[in-house]
Every structure is written in structure tokens, then in C-alpha cells.
Amino acid sequence: MTKALCVLGIESSCDETGVALVRFASHGLPELLAHALYSQIQMHQAYGGVVPELASRDHIRRVLPLTQQVLGESGRALAEVDVVAFTRGPGLAGALLVGAGVACALGAALGKPVLGVHHLEGHLLSPFLSADPPEFPFVALLVSGGHTQLMRVDGVGRYQMLGETIDDAAGEAFDKSAKMLGLPYPGGAALGQLAQMGDSTAYKLPRPLLHSGDLDFSFAGLKTAVMVQTKKCAVAYDIQAHALPLMVLADLAASTQAAIVEVLVKKSLAALKQTGLKRLVVAGGVGANGELRRQLNAECNRRAVRVHYPELHLCTDNGAMIAMAAAMRLQAGRQQAQMVYAFDVKPRWPLDAIGA
Ligand code: KG4
Ligand code: ZN
């Protein structure tokens, strides 16, 4: 890539509609010109989780107004967009189709190429938009609502899986535990906040696969342990779990968070040791967790390992990471943006299977 590129990114894989415009020069740092996000979380809260059909319908309502907002805030015209990028997968099929359909319609109308991006690659590369961008190679800890993976990253599109969860993702463990404590969906951030008031040693919870000798994770058993402990507390107080005193809920939250964070930190350190790499990148929604960041910073500092995160507001789903990943793939020559508008989406799509 020789000239500067203006990439419009559209994210619609789950319950957030994100649109962003990123300017990518051949030299220097990429520039986030504007980004806008509409979170559907409130709408899904009534159901305790994401309702796919409602998600798709809402993406359709939001995506064009958000695009207009981004263009307005960036001071750019639609005609100045060089490439339209969208999340091709993984995610909810109907939700993905909205972003793919709109991106291809815009591309066709403008006569500009489009490019489908892997959602997790977006998360993985999002720290390159931060004030402290990483350099290749690095170990990546990808911790989102649907995935928990450790990866060796040697460059754009050069991803080697080191370990992953065999059941629930870390974000799922946060969310399901939060639900048991009476916190609204998705609950991860709220559990983290409640945990700040609690004692992380109050309840002894399992650290699944901590000593398994590999880099895999398992969080399903922890969720059950949290449920059993919460019920025990409710019986002891002779009340419903949700009516437990705030301090008990805070202790449960802190103990749960400590179990999840300890496993994530120790396995990340093991991955660094195994690969001999001195750089760690943390990405995905759980990467916003304050305790995870505090412990990783301390442990990495002790080992002279540099650790990088996305900006806090870009940890969870957003359009900027999609624009960024598209631009980086183009710049690295990993993919061509094409004037082909017969899109398909990939609801299931392993990151290490994306190829060149
Ligand atoms: O990456 P993301 O936005 O969506 C997926 O691609 O899945 O991640 C969402 C997940 C949810 O499980 C949410 O509860 C969790 O990230 N999360 C957090 C925090 N903020 C978001 N978990 C723990 N602490 C947080 N501060
Ligand atoms: Zn995500």
C-alpha cells in the first residue's frame, strides 16, 4: 500500500452496532477519524441474554444513522471512503448479514471495494490504535464474551493457537456468575465493580486447569462452584440469593474475579515462557477488567515483558477495530479489497483458519 487509505468499518456481529472511519497512512500511526457505537444491551437485558432476531432488526435501524454520524464528525464525505470493511464472522448470522449487506451496498453504490474481516482479528489488532501500540511478534490473550484464546502472533494473519477454552469463555464466566449475583446482563463490568468492595479470599473457588501443564482453559466448573457457594450463602442467611447483603455479594464477586484472573494471568505468563516472547497483547471485552490489568502489569513488569491493551473504550465490540484490521491486512498484502458484492458471512470461523 503506498497511498493513505480511508477505511469505513462496520461491526454488527452481536449486540453492538459499531461504525468507524480510520485513516491509514503508509507511514506513521493510523488515525481514528471518528467512531460511533450503539449498544443494544438494554434491549436484551429484559431477556437475560442476546435475542438474535431482535439484534438483527436493531442493527438495521442503527447502521446508516451511525454511518452518517461518523462521516459528520470526521468531516469527510462518503465519496472519500476508499474501502468499506465489515465483520464477516464469527457471530450471529442474521446480525452479520446486516453489516455485510450494508457494506456491500455502500461499496457497490460508491464503486469502491469491500473487505470482510474476522471479528477476533479486529480485537487482536485493536491495540495498534492505542497510544502505546505493540510490535510483532507477541503473545495475544484474547478474552471476549465468546472466546478465550492464547495465540502466538508473528504478523498480520500469522496466528498460531497456543491454547483455548474447552468450554465456557472467560467473559461467559463473568456474565453467568454476575447473573447469579443478581447483576444485569452482560454483568462482567458490573461484577468487576462490585468486586472492588469485596474480599477476594472470602470464598475458596477452583482455578480450573491451572496446573494442567498446557495453555487450555476451562470455566464451566467455576460457574457451578459460584452457584453452589451463592446458594450456601443464601441458605445461611435464610434469604434468596439476590437479597444477600451487599458485602456478601461483593465478597462473592471478588472471589469469582480472583479465580478467573489468576488463571488468565498464570496461563499468559506460561505462554510467554513457552514462546520466549517478551511482549503480551490483551484484547477483547474482558481486557477492560481492572484487576486483570493490575495483575498482568505487575507480573509483566517483574519479567521485563511489555504488555499492551486497546484503549478502554475500544475493548468491547466497535467499528474501529474492524476498519483497523482491514487496513492492516491490506497494508500487509494479506488480502485484496474486491469490487465483488456477493457477500457471504461466517457465523463459525476459527481465527487460525483465516489463511493469508
Ligand atoms: O469482546 P466483547 O465485547 O464481545 C465478544 O466478542 O464476545 O466482550 C464482551 C464480554 C462480556 O462477557 C462482558 O461481560 C465482558 O466482555 N466484559 C468484562 C468487562 N467489560 C466487559 N468482563 C470483566 N470486566 C470488565 N470490566
Ligand atoms: Zn467481540
Side-chain angles (χ1 to χ4, degrees):
M1 189 185 89
T2 48
K3 73 177 191 75
L5 265 190
C6 225
V7 183
L8 183 74
I10 299 177
E11 153 63 30
S12 70
S13 66
C14 189
D15 56 358
E16 253 122 18
T17 323
V19 180
L21 198 58
V22 171
R23 185 176 181 276
F24 208 85
S26 50
H27 298 289
L29 292 177
E31 193 187 348
L32 178 55
L33 298 177
H35 88 113
L37 191 75
Y38 182 85
S39 173
Q40 306 175 352
I41 281 175
Q42 243 183 338
M43 177 178 76
H44 297 297
Q45 261 170 1
Y47 306 92
V50 178
V51 184
E53 175 64 21
L54 294 184
S56 315
R57 290 186 210 167
D58 208 58
H59 284 306
I60 291 175
R61 271 196 291 271
R62 309 290 171 189
V63 65
L64 285 177
L66 287 173
T67 305
Q68 279 172 321
Q69 184 184 331
V70 160
L71 291 169
E73 284 173 14
S74 67
R76 306 270 165 156
L78 194 53
E80 290 177 75
V81 171
D82 297 303
V83 178
V84 186
F86 61 94
T87 306
R88 189 174 174 210
L92 303 169
L96 289 167
L97 281 167
V98 173
V102 168
C104 289
L106 282 176
L110 293 168
K112 297 284 170 68
V114 294
L115 196 142
V117 170
H118 195 294
H119 178 82
L120 290 179
E121 189 173 33
H123 278 302
L124 185 74
L125 299 177
S126 60
F128 283 91
L129 267 175
S130 75
D132 178 28
E135 279 170 29
F136 299 113
F138 53 77
V139 168
L141 172 67
L142 259 176
V143 270
S144 70
H147 295 83
T148 302
Q149 303 179 332
L150 274 164
M151 222 157 326
R152 183 192 164 104
V153 177
D154 286 290
V156 178
R158 296 171 63 198
Y159 312 131
Q160 183 196 340
M161 189 75 76
L162 301 171
E164 63 182 325
T165 184
I166 57 171
D167 43 52
D168 291 354
E172 235 174 318
F174 266 106
D175 295 346
K176 288 177 177 170
S177 304
K179 194 173 184 177
M180 288 175 221
L181 303 183
L183 300 170
Y185 170 85
L191 188 146
Q193 233 169 359
L194 183 59
Q196 285 179 17
M197 295 196 292
D199 172 6
S200 61
T201 61
Y203 302 105
K204 212 169 168 309
L205 295 169
R207 270 67 171 155
L209 298 191
L210 189 59
H211 302 294
S212 60
D214 58 24
L215 298 173
D216 286 338
F217 302 88
S218 163
F219 290 108
L222 174 63
K223 168 192 67 193
T224 311
V226 173
M227 186 175 71
V228 169
Q229 187 58 60
T230 307
K231 278 189 180 158
K232 269 191 203 165
C233 292
V235 169
Y237 278 84
D238 196 20
I239 46 177
Q240 295 279 318
H242 294 182
L244 280 166
L246 187 62
M247 281 320 294
V248 177
L249 291 173
D251 285 349
L252 284 163
S255 303
T256 305
Q257 177 176 261
I260 300 170
V261 167
E262 184 178 342
V263 179
L264 294 177
V265 170
K266 294 237 166 99
K267 296 265 175 172
S268 300
L269 296 176
L272 287 160
K273 195 169 172 198
Q274 183 181 306
T275 56
L277 295 175
K278 287 286 184 189
R279 209 179 277 278
L280 177 69
V281 162
V282 184
V286 180
N289 185 266
E291 184 59 18
L292 177 65
R293 286 187 175 213
R294 195 186 63 73
Q295 288 195 28
L296 278 178
N297 289 344
E299 295 296 338
C300 288
N301 198 21
R302 210 167 289 151
R303 291 164 177 78
V305 168
R306 290 288 313 276
V307 53
H308 303 263
Y309 307 91
E311 299 292 341
L312 261 184
H313 70 285
L314 297 181
C315 274
T316 44
D317 296 347
N318 63 82
M321 68 185 200
I322 300 305
M324 183 67 188
M328 287 185 75
R329 286 188 74 77
L330 291 170
Q331 196 211 30
R334 287 261 151 201
Q335 203 168 333
Q336 306 271 312
Q338 294 186 337
M339 314 264 269
V340 175
Y341 308 112
F343 54 88
D344 66 339
V345 294
K346 289 181 170 246
R348 287 178 181 278
W349 192 13
L351 180 54
D352 53 356
I354 59 174

